[in-house]
């Protein structure tokens, strides 16, 4: 598959709106497309008028065309038919770069698509750039540099896949920023109807018996202030203090992974590599040692206060303010100081 | 019912200590202890739970790796796997997920008909979660990922029903056999090795497919064990699984590593604040004056 065409983004639909991560990738995709001087396009699979009108609105983010496979049987994500539809679009349109959100859908769909196309796919990229790469004396310019942590987050690798097109990457929600839409109704993406013929006898091997939606109890990504508890602050009485501090200063409560594993709070409160990546204005880390997997999820907070009894805790190396002390002792002082400010 | 479990021996990346990371950013793998990839243990455990329900089920664990990877195969036998395969060849080295899934596909095809493939969702060194889905695609079978529970199995009707977790909640999904399922750490708590099986298998060695091996690598095997116990770990190489060398290893990998950087801890720049009332109070005042905390 040789080509040198568009930058394409897979659009994921939550059932109510386009997933935030898809919009973030549309914005990043636009930036890459502009540098490459090619169009930004999108590929979507699903069903319904409301999805259709959201896809048209992608024009306000600079998206030119949306290749849309619509079928009532595709209302909810299913691996085989979604992969089939995306593959057919990619084979025909031949984009040079394809981006997917690193969601449960994206991490199911993208590898299957890459396997069919025999192209490279890099998962959970934390940055995407364009650059040059040499292989056996051949120079590839403007190839996608796919940057991601590996080895449990202990290294950052730059991956390239210039010899096979497209270069594909998945990116987690909250990693790329969103630019606001133009707000102009006339900026509309063109929907190109993809006519994929599905074989009912073999293209729908999964049957969705039931979908159990659970309300997210917290949206950490939107929080401006976060009070986070690690295992050093996870006792019942300390968690009461953590929650009280959060209440008083108007913060959300987050936890590190071991605290989730211990069943103290749910996964949607988890900050870290396998949880949510957050960028609040203020992150107060209570009893968190600062393992790399946790730091990966909060290192870009504007201000970080670390409270830990251990002066050697790695968290102090990225904190702006460090307090060596017992969380049970420090939090009440903070609450008092804030009320008396 | 035939269940295949894919397993991987990985460096213990969640416990990096000492000189495992060299200053130039490369990993000193010999300084790192190796472990059974955690979510592969969950995959094996899920297969073992099914075998408890359906005693006639047969579980084969397979790993692609250097000879040292036999550790995870022995561990699989200790925990209850019926058979194990070592897929090992220098030409598989340097494989990315595409080339790995290709080699595994060749091995699975050599195993013959199967009903289920259980994979750990992802390995803790690559963290990609790609091999499972890519293996399913190459085998032309269905896949269900991020599974946290096996809800039901109907051997007679050849179906399995699982629960998968998503950002929005959970889904109950049913599929016919054959299907590849990736399993997460929340699915189960892997059982420990059985002391009895450890005694039986602790010295088990490998034996290569005689037709394919030309070098006289040592062939060691255990004493003559009666069925259902196996006597040696089967070792397969590139030829024995009919793999195309162009599609294996570095050759068969479309992704290439351009650069690796160590994540360097920036030397502590934290402004240390005294933990007494005065220190904390002045910190709070500073944050309020900078509008970081609401005034």
């Amino acid at each position: 598959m040789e080509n040198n065409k568009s930058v394409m983004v897979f659009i994921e639909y939550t059932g109510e709106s386009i997933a935030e991560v898809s919009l973030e990738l549309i914005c990043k995709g636009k930036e890459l497309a502009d540098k490459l001087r090619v169009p930004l396009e999108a590929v979507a699979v699903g069903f319904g008028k409301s999805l259709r009108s959201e896809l048209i609105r992608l024009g306000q983010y600079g998206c030119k065309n949306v290749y849309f496979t619509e079928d009532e049987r595709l209302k909810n994500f299913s691996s085989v038919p979604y992969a089939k539809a995306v593959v057919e679009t990619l084979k025909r349109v031949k984009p040079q770069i394809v981006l997917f959100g690193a969601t449960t859908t994206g991490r199911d769909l993208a590898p299957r698509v890459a396997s069919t196309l025999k192209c490279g796919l890099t998962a959970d990229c934390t940055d995407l750039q364009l650059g040059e790469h040499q292989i056996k004396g051949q120079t590839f310019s403007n190839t996608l540099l796919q940057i991601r942590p590996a080895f449990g987050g202990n290294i950052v690798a730059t991956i390239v896949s210039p010899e096979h097109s497209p270069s594909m990457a998945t990116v987690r929600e909250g990693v790329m920023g969103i630019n606001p839409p133009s707000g102009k109704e006339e900026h509309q993406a063109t929907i190109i109807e993809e006519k994929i013929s599905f074989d009912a006898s073999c293209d729908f091997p999964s049957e969705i018996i039931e979908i159990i939606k659970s309300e997210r109890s917290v949206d950490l990504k939107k929080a401006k202030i976060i009070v986070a508890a690690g295992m050093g602050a996870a006792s019942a009485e300390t968690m009461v203090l953590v929650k009280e501090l959060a209440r008083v200063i108007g913060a959300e409560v987050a936890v590190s992974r071991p605290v989730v594993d211990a069943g103290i709070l749910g996964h949607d409160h988890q900050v870290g590599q396998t949880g949510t990546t957050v960028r609040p204005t203020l992150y107060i880390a209570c009893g968190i040692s600062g393992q790399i997997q946790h730091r990966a999820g909060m290192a870009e907070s504007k201000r970080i206060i670390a409270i830990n009894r251990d002066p050697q805790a790695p968290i102090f190396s990225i904190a702006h303010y460090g307090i060596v002390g017992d969380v049970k002792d420090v939090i009440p002082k903070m609450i008092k100081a804030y009320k008396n400010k | 019912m035939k269940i295949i479990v894919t397993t991987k021996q990985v460096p213990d990346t969640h416990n990096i200590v000492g000189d495992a990371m060299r200053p130039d950013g490369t990993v000193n793998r010999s300084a790192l202890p190796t472990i059974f990839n955690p979510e592969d243990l969950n995959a094996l455990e899920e297969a073992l739970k099914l075998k408890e329900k359906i005693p006639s089920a047969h579980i084969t664990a397979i790993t692609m790796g250097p000879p040292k990877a036999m550790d995870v195969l022995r561990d699989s036998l200790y925990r209850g796997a019926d058979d194990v395969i070592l897929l090992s060849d220098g030409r598989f080295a340097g494989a990315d997920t595409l080339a790995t899934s290709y080699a595994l596909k060749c091995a699975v095809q050599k195993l013959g008909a199967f009903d289920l493939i259980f994979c750990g969702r992802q390995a803790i060194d690559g963290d990609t979660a790609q091999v499972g889905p890519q293996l399913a695609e190459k085998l032309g079978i269905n896949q269900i990922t991020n599974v946290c529970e096996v809800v039901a199995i109907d051997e007679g009707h050849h179906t399995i029903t699982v629960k998968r977790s998503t950002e929005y909640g959970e889904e109950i999904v049913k599929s016919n056999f054959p299907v590849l399922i990736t399993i997460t750490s929340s699915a189960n708590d892997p059982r420990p090795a059985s002391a009895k099986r450890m005694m039986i298998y602790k010295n088990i060695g490998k034996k290569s497919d005689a037709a394919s091996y030309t070098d006289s690598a040592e062939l060691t095997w255990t004493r003559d064990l009666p069925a259902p116990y196996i006597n040696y770990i089967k070792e397969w190489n590139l030829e024995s699984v009919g793999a195309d060398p162009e599609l294996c290893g570095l050759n068969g990998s479309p992704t290439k590593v351009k650069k690796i950087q160590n994540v360097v801890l920036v030397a502590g720049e934290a402004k240390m604040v005294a933990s007494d009332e005065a220190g904390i109070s002045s910190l709070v005042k500073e944050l309020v004056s900078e509008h970081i905390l609401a005034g």
Side-chain angles (χ1 to χ4, degrees):
Chain A
M1 246 182 72
E2 41 122 308
N3 71 89
N4 239 324
K5 294 202 192 145
S6 60
V7 172
M8 193 177 278
V9 175
F10 171 76
I11 302 297
E12 197 172 324
Y13 186 60
T14 69
E16 278 155 37
S17 59
I18 289 183
E20 194 102 326
V21 66
S22 303
L23 291 177
E24 289 162 5
L25 290 178
I26 282 279
C27 294
K28 184 66 182 179
K30 182 78 176 101
E31 184 195 304
L32 295 168
D34 285 348
K35 285 203 182 117
L36 292 165
R37 295 209 249 241
V38 299
L40 169 68
E41 300 186 302
V43 56
V45 180
F47 180 78
K49 269 210 297 272
S50 51
L51 167 54
R52 189 175 274 274
S53 57
E54 294 274 329
L55 294 176
I56 292 173
R57 247 188 104 245
L58 288 175
Q60 295 191 29
Y61 294 88
C63 180
K64 185 161 172 231
N65 299 315
V66 181
Y67 299 89
F68 184 31
T69 299
E70 186 171 25
D71 189 304
E72 202 171 347
R73 296 169 291 183
L74 302 172
K75 204 163 130 223
N76 295 298
F77 171 71
S78 188
S79 315
V80 170
Y82 268 61
K84 179 172 177 155
V86 172
V87 163
E88 296 219 9
T89 296
L90 298 191
K91 276 186 170 163
R92 200 170 57 72
V93 178
K94 299 191 177 48
Q96 58 177 302
I97 290 172
V98 186
L99 306 177
F100 298 74
T103 58
T104 53
T105 292
R107 297 174 109 229
D108 186 305
L109 175 64
R112 199 172 173 106
V113 169
S115 183
T116 310
L117 299 175
K118 299 185 172 49
C119 64
L121 169 67
T122 302
D124 295 344
C125 294
T126 49
D127 193 9
L128 296 168
Q129 292 170 16
L130 295 168
E132 198 182 88
H133 187 69
Q134 289 218 5
I135 296 179
K136 295 175 191 159
Q138 192 181 359
T139 304
F140 298 90
S141 21
N142 278 330
T143 194
L144 187 66
L145 305 181
Q146 305 142 48
I147 294 145
R148 67 170 321 249
F151 233 67
N154 288 284
I155 59 174
V156 175
T158 301
I159 314 280
V160 292
S161 45
E163 293 162 300
H164 304 81
S165 204
S167 285
M168 291 185 17
T170 71
V171 180
R172 291 213 180 182
E173 184 182 346
V175 168
M176 304 289 170
I178 291 196
N179 303 319
S182 71
K184 302 209 162 78
E185 279 278 336
E186 63 271 26
H187 292 164
Q188 298 192 344
T190 305
I191 301 232
I192 296 176
E193 312 287 345
E194 295 288 85
K195 296 275 170 262
I196 316 277
S197 55
F198 290 103
D199 180 348
S201 71
C202 61
D203 284 337
F204 299 90
S206 282
E207 183 192 341
I208 300 180
I209 308 276
E210 193 185 347
I211 296 181
I212 307 153
K213 281 207 193 278
S214 59
E215 280 313 310
R216 263 194 186 181
S217 62
V218 63
D219 190 351
L220 289 177
K221 283 193 325 122
K222 295 199 159 62
K224 290 262 179 313
I225 311 177
I226 291 178
V227 179
M231 284 310 278
S235 73
E237 50 173 314
T238 320
M239 283 304 293
V240 167
L241 290 173
V242 165
K243 287 175 182 168
E244 177 62 9
L245 174 61
R247 189 189 69 78
V248 165
I249 64 177
E252 291 288 3
V253 174
V255 290
S256 65
R257 181 182 173 158
V259 178
V260 171
D261 288 348
I264 292 166
L265 271 183
H267 185 260
D268 44 359
H269 287 271
Q270 182 181 321
V271 165
Q273 218 172 42
T274 53
T276 307
T277 300
V278 297
R279 283 196 199 90
T281 313
L282 178 62
Y283 191 91
I284 305 179
C286 308
I288 291 178
S289 64
Q291 292 299 319
I292 280 200
Q293 291 88 348
H294 185 79
R295 293 204 316 266
M298 43 68 72
E300 288 178 52
S301 305
K302 199 153 158 219
R303 294 292 169 95
I304 299 169
I305 302 176
I307 309 166
N308 198 302
R309 265 196 304 214
D310 175 7
Q312 304 299 327
I315 191 81
F316 287 119
S317 67
I318 56 154
H320 301 92
Y321 306 95
I323 305 174
V324 178
D326 193 323
V327 174
K328 280 207 294 283
D329 175 64
V330 171
I331 289 186
K333 288 179 180 153
M334 270 191 171
I335 293 173
K336 184 172 174 198
Y338 186 75
K339 286 182 172 165
N340 293 339
K341 64 190 183 301
Chain B
M1 187 171 68
K2 292 196 76 180
I3 309 175
I4 297 172
V5 180
T6 56
T7 61
K8 187 179 183 188
Q9 184 176 59
V10 293
D12 193 357
T13 63
H14 290 172
N15 287 302
I16 302 273
V17 289
D19 53 2
M21 302 300 305
R22 297 195 193 95
D24 67 356
T26 57
V27 176
N28 181 7
R29 283 185 184 245
S30 53
L32 280 173
T34 53
I35 59 172
F36 201 132
N37 181 50
E39 283 182 329
D40 293 347
L41 265 181
N42 297 110
L44 174 61
E45 175 61 27
E46 229 28 65
L48 293 167
K49 280 162 68 177
L50 275 185
K51 196 174 153 86
E52 279 165 355
K53 279 201 194 123
I54 302 172
S56 59
H58 183 274
I59 300 172
T60 303
I62 178 166
T63 195
M64 181 182 106
K68 186 169 194 314
M70 278 201 295
D71 293 343
V72 307
L73 296 179
R74 281 192 203 97
D75 204 341
S76 301
L77 287 168
Y78 299 158
R79 289 164 202 261
D82 298 297
D83 196 5
V84 292
I85 311 279
L86 173 68
L87 183 63
S88 188
D89 196 308
R91 292 163 290 180
F92 292 147
D96 69 0
T97 64
L98 196 77
T100 301
S101 58
Y102 170 72
L104 286 172
K105 172 212 93 151
C106 295
V108 168
Q109 285 179 332
K110 187 175 160 93
L111 279 171
F114 60 88
D115 298 294
L116 297 167
I117 303 183
F118 282 0
C119 305
R121 180 186 53 144
Q122 70 189 46
I124 61 173
D125 52 358
D127 288 318
T128 68
Q130 288 172 195
V131 170
Q134 296 193 324
L135 176 58
E137 191 279 329
K138 286 177 161 42
L139 291 168
I141 64 175
N142 191 20
Q143 72 195 44
I144 307 177
T145 63
N146 228 57
V147 168
C148 58
E149 189 185 328
V150 172
V151 171
I153 185 131
D154 185 340
E155 215 195 345
H157 291 108
H158 308 290
T159 66
I160 185 169
T161 305
V162 298
K163 183 188 275 189
R164 69 185 290 259
S165 6
T166 72
E167 290 83 356
Y168 314 109
E170 290 164 334
E171 296 175 348
I172 312 285
V173 183
K174 185 175 177 186
S175 171
N176 289 335
F177 300 167
V179 59
L180 181 146
I181 308 231
T182 77
I183 303 222
T184 66
S185 56
S186 44
N188 56 55
D189 286 317
R191 70 196 60 195
S194 126
K196 173 179 169 195
R197 291 178 73 92
M198 273 179 87
M199 287 306 300
I200 293 169
Y201 283 128
K202 72 180 183 223
N203 291 317
I204 189 168
K206 62 186 171 80
K207 182 172 166 186
S208 62
D209 188 342
S212 61
Y213 253 57
T214 51
D215 71 55
S216 54
E218 39 166 308
L219 305 172
T220 57
W221 53 89
T222 64
R223 59 194 195 283
D224 232 335
L225 292 168
Y229 299 112
I230 58 170
N231 282 293
Y232 53 85
I233 295 174
K234 285 190 278 293
E235 181 181 15
W236 291 347
N237 70 353
L238 192 143
E239 276 83 18
S240 49
V241 297
D244 176 351
E246 288 301 299
L247 301 180
C248 296
L250 223 38
N251 285 344
S253 300
T255 63
K256 307 270 191 270
V257 179
K258 181 179 169 66
K259 188 168 68 168
I260 289 198
Q261 278 163 282
N262 211 346
V263 174
V264 175
L265 288 186
V266 174
E269 295 168 353
K271 179 170 152 181
M272 297 316 284
V273 172
S275 59
D276 58 17
E277 280 197 26
I280 291 171
S281 174
S282 93
L283 169 63
V284 169
K285 286 203 172 76
E286 186 177 320
L287 293 172
V288 169
S289 72
E290 293 189 53
H291 303 289
I292 294 198
L293 279 174

